[in-house]
Amino acid sequence: MKQHILIVGAGFGGVWSALSAARLLDQHGRDDVAISVLAPQAQLRIRPRFYEPDVHQMQAPLAELFNAVGVAFIQGAAEQIDVNGKRVSYVDAQGNRSDISYDRLVMAAGSGVWRPDIDGLNTHAFDVDQIESAARLEQHLKSLASQPESTARNTVVVAGGGFTGIETATEMPGRLRAILGADANVRVIIVDRGARIGAALGEGISPTIIEASEALGVQWRVNASVAGVDAGGVTLVDGERIEANTVVWTVGVRASSLTAQVPGERDGQGRLHVDRNLKVKGQEHVYATGDVAYAATDDEGNFAVMSCQHAIVLGRHSGNNVAADLLGVEPTPYRQPKYVTCLDLGAWGAVYTEGWDRQVKLLRKEAKDLKTQINTTWIYPPAADRTSALAAADPLIPIA
């Protein structure tokens, strides 16, 4: 009977785990280990692009790719993780419940936007966290054209001044004018708890965010938090009322709640602490990767962030190492010392930085061209060709 590697999740971490595990098995000529990916859809949803229009196109099919490298896909949503019994219970597309056993488990269940208990938030606020919710926002924006002109109709409030909030907000003037007309008097406001504009991304990048925001007409309310959301706008903690028919929530993400079923230490975002080989600390048969892994990137005290930049490389290592565990060969410890950011700033352009202190290296069009290449090429999965797909999953591929 074949041994079984089960990967829960088909995001960046899950897909690259599957490819990397298949690569190592292929290198050792082993056909006695099966790899399965359990996820609701055989799609890699390109989450970093959900702030853009035409969000329904932001996914890549996986069925042919998995077939090419010998990975089985199981359509379903994991519900229970039994680490003692080495089983995962899931619900399939028809609503039927099933169990699947494993010899090694890779938790790659991803993350979701955090919605605190704020009055009206769940009822009235949109988000760009999942493709379905981003599509609802897109349909709502299109529907604004049929509403009578008003300040509220023309105003979008984005709660959160982090990476997602800034990209969503700076893209919004162009999206609104494409719907309401080039001369529409649109207003986009970022509400952020930080003490200054762009505080979440550090001092090095903040001046660029300020410049782009001013050029685009994006306003900021700093030192501010949302107290309530309703159909007509938001009320801030200090009592300010902003009339807006569109409120987008981008504040904070949390690791999948499935991680709570795996005994182990977690960080403040619910990510499981892992060792250098991405095995969950205290677990013999469970690995974690992508947004559910609290993983050290270097020896300087830096840890992976919830982004595809880290999830792809984490996936290459977790897949390799979970297969190495079963094969009894040496693992490849995870390291990713180079850290970069490429922040989209709408029609103004973009900004590219290097280092954890975010030293600005490229601006405006140069950075925008790089961002476009990242978003449309680099983060997509390889073609469904066995040789090239397995080669792309090498955990030792140099990171540019």
Side-chain angles (χ1 to χ4, degrees), residues 262-277:
V262 178
E265 187 178 358
R266 294 165 189 77
D267 76 337
Q269 295 176 293
R271 297 182 295 175
L272 291 158
H273 285 230
V274 295
D275 64 19
R276 286 294 192 185
N277 298 325

Side-chain angles (χ1 to χ4, degrees), residues 17 35 51-52 69 75 78 81 85 87 128 145 166 170 191 222 242 257 283-284 288 290 307 314 342 378 390:
S17 286
I35 305 168
Y51 67 93
E52 300 180 40
V69 298
Q75 186 173 17
I81 311 293
R87 300 184 69 82
V128 292
I166 292 170
T170 53
V191 176
V222 295
I242 304 175
S257 60
Q283 296 294 324
E284 284 298 313
S307 72
L314 283 165
C342 197
W378 291 4
L390 295 182

Side-chain angles (χ1 to χ4, degrees), residues 91-116:
V91 177
D92 67 19
Q94 290 72 45
N96 301 313
R97 296 180 182 275
S98 300
D99 290 346
I100 184 168
S101 61
Y102 64 82
D103 294 282
R104 296 292 184 274
L105 176 66
V106 180
M107 292 291 294
S111 61
V113 68
W114 175 62
R115 284 180 173 251

Side-chain angles (χ1 to χ4, degrees), residues 13 67 130 195 199 246 264 273 275 312 395:
N67 286 337
Q130 304 296 328
T246 309
H273 285 230
D275 64 19
I312 291 170

Side-chain angles (χ1 to χ4, degrees), residues 8-234:
V8 175
F12 293 101
V15 168
W16 286 99
S17 286
L19 295 178
S20 189
R23 171 185 172 277
L24 196 66
L25 294 175
D26 181 76
Q27 284 189 331
H28 287 267
R30 296 285 290 270
D31 59 3
D32 58 341
V33 179
I35 305 168
S36 299
V37 172
L38 170 65
Q41 305 90 16
Q43 299 172 342
L44 175 59
R45 296 181 162 197
I46 312 300
R47 191 179 182 190
R49 300 189 65 184
F50 288 175
Y51 67 93
E52 300 180 40
D54 300 319
V55 70
H56 63 282
Q57 299 180 13
M58 309 307 180
Q59 54 86 18
L62 295 172
E64 289 187 11
L65 174 61
F66 284 161
N67 286 337
V69 298
V71 171
F73 176 74
I74 303 169
Q75 186 173 17
E79 286 199 335
Q80 291 185 317
I81 311 293
D82 177 6
V83 297
N84 292 322
K86 295 166 67 173
R87 300 184 69 82
V88 173
S89 299
Y90 68 96
V91 177
D92 67 19
Q94 290 72 45
N96 301 313
R97 296 180 182 275
S98 300
D99 290 346
I100 184 168
S101 61
Y102 64 82
D103 294 282
R104 296 292 184 274
L105 176 66
V106 180
M107 292 291 294
S111 61
V113 68
W114 175 62
R115 284 180 173 251
D117 186 17
I118 293 176
D119 187 38
L121 181 65
N122 287 331
T123 304
H124 299 291
F126 296 91
D127 65 62
V128 292
D129 187 58
Q130 304 296 328
I131 202 166
E132 293 84 1
S133 58
R136 285 194 293 272
L137 171 62
E138 185 161 22
Q139 288 304 116
H140 166 78
L141 292 174
K142 291 177 179 178
S143 75
L144 295 175
S146 64
Q147 298 179 17
E149 182 170 359
S150 66
T151 298
R153 184 200 73 163
N154 291 7
T155 299
V156 173
V157 173
V158 176
F163 207 95
T164 301
I166 292 170
E167 292 198 322
T168 300
T170 53
E171 184 76 11
M172 197 58 70
R175 294 183 69 176
L176 287 173
R177 291 192 177 100
I179 295 165
L180 301 177
D183 298 325
N185 184 25
V186 303
R187 185 169 67 149
V188 178
I189 302 171
I190 297 174
V191 176
D192 188 50
R193 290 175 293 184
R196 63 188 184 280
I197 293 174
L201 297 183
E203 294 182 3
I205 199 172
S206 181
T208 300
I209 295 169
I210 293 171
E211 181 180 345
S213 297
E214 290 176 349
L216 296 167
V218 173
Q219 303 172 32
W220 285 72
R221 298 289 191 276
V222 295
N223 284 318
S225 298
V226 173
V229 185
D230 56 57
V234 300

